[in-house]
Amino acid sequence: MQSAPSLLSRFGCLVRPANFAAASVASRAMSTAYDVGSSTNIKWHEGAVPTENKEAIMQQKGCVVWFTGLSGSGKSTVACTLEHALAESGKVTALLDGDNIRHGLNSNLGFSATDREENIRRIGEVSKLFADTGIVTLVSFISPYRRDRDRVRSRVPEGRFIEVFMKVPISICEERDPKGLYKKARAGQLKGFTGIDDPYEEPLNAKVVLEAETADGKRISPQDQARTLLEYLHSKGFLTGPSTPPK
């Protein structure tokens, strides 16, 4: 396999581990306890092929890499750059981007607190399905509320949810402002905008924190930020799998 630097140096993108078997049991227990309303005929059905077997085939371990941060913090750019590097090394990935999801699955949701909660709940369930299939799942959502991110974390098997905090000052996000949203929010043309007139709750214990600048004020490139994540995934064993499928 090529090294992280050699892979990442080739890619840029402009935006438009715990015992998994035991964790799976806990996850299934939560699934069966999940609220399904008043229905009494909805039952949880186990898949015929265990996650571990799929991971052995793909030689990787399923996980959810959850990018959170302000608009313009670089979530999508870093996620895209990381996905290219993972694909080049033969890993199977899924990239779920907040803007893209609102064109389809969540096209009926707005930006109220209630709709934001449902937005994250839905994508959390989708990302869990991908991870349970053994796929390295990259999720790029502002996801401003801590409780919503924690709910997703609780649905994913222990150790498989990797919260990545894009710790970028709002001044830099406004400087970038790729969609012109901060300018509109400052002018009062856009209400309920995260970081301006709606809160963003920073993670308390993110697995990885990516900053925009070094201590001496030098900007950190998306490639270097993605390299940090690639090395983290390597170190935690997500990019390898069992040599033979479990019996």
Side-chain angles (χ1 to χ4, degrees):
M1 176 179 173
Q2 298 181 57
S3 65
S6 65
L7 288 172
L8 288 163
S9 63
R10 299 173 54 187
F11 296 105
C13 190
L14 296 177
V15 177
R16 22 119 228 109
N19 183 307
F20 190 47
S24 296
V25 172
S27 177
R28 289 194 291 270
M30 284 190 290
S31 298
T32 55
Y34 210 71
D35 182 19
V36 293
S38 59
S39 177
T40 58
N41 60 354
I42 298 177
K43 304 296 182 184
W44 181 262
H45 293 272
E46 294 300 326
V49 180
T51 297
E52 296 90 335
N53 291 64
K54 297 173 183 177
E55 292 178 333
I57 293 169
M58 294 185 284
Q59 283 297 289
Q60 63 184 53
K61 294 183 177 69
C63 61
V64 175
V65 183
W66 190 281
F67 294 83
T68 178
L70 294 170
S71 177
S73 61
K75 299 181 300 298
S76 295
T77 304
V78 177
C80 180
T81 304
L82 177 60
E83 185 181 40
H84 276 296
L86 289 168
E88 179 70 9
S89 64
K91 300 308 173 186
V92 182
T93 63
L95 177 58
L96 306 175
D97 182 82
D99 280 0
N100 293 348
I101 294 298
R102 282 185 175 273
H103 280 83
L105 177 66
N106 292 347
S107 61
N108 65 323
L109 298 176
F111 292 90
S112 66
T114 299
D115 280 2
R116 285 177 187 267
E117 179 181 353
E118 176 61 11
N119 184 47
I120 299 306
R121 188 197 70 79
R122 288 184 193 176
I123 201 62
E125 290 299 315
V126 172
S127 64
K128 178 184 182 298
L129 290 173
F130 277 117
D132 284 348
T133 308
I135 293 173
V136 177
T137 310
L138 312 178
V139 183
S140 173
F141 277 64
I142 293 175
S143 46
Y145 307 135
R146 197 174 294 128
R147 68 177 183 275
D148 295 338
R149 300 192 301 265
D150 286 344
R151 287 191 188 111
V152 177
R153 189 196 326 272
S154 72
R155 296 283 293 150
V156 178
E158 181 69 28
R160 299 289 180 125
F161 182 87
I162 304 162
E163 189 173 37
V164 179
F165 176 32
M166 301 298 296
K167 191 177 181 180
V168 180
I170 192 170
S171 58
I172 293 180
C173 294
E174 288 197 70
E175 175 189 315
R176 295 170 175 171
D177 202 10
K179 305 172 191 174
L181 299 179
Y182 284 100
K183 185 177 180 180
K184 290 181 179 179
R186 292 293 188 189
Q189 299 171 2
L190 189 62
K191 301 296 183 182
F193 188 70
T194 301
I196 302 298
D197 56 355
D198 205 63
Y200 175 78
E201 299 173 357
E202 296 187 0
L204 298 177
N205 296 292
K207 294 293 185 182
V208 181
V209 177
L210 298 178
E211 304 213 29
E213 298 178 331
T214 61
D216 59 1
K218 181 182 178 181
R219 291 289 173 91
I220 302 173
S221 72
Q223 288 83 3
D224 284 338
Q225 292 173 320
R227 181 179 293 109
T228 297
L229 287 171
L230 188 59
E231 291 171 350
Y232 178 89
L233 291 173
H234 269 297
S235 70
K236 298 300 181 181
F238 288 110
L239 304 185
T240 58
S243 56
T244 57
K247 295 181 179 180

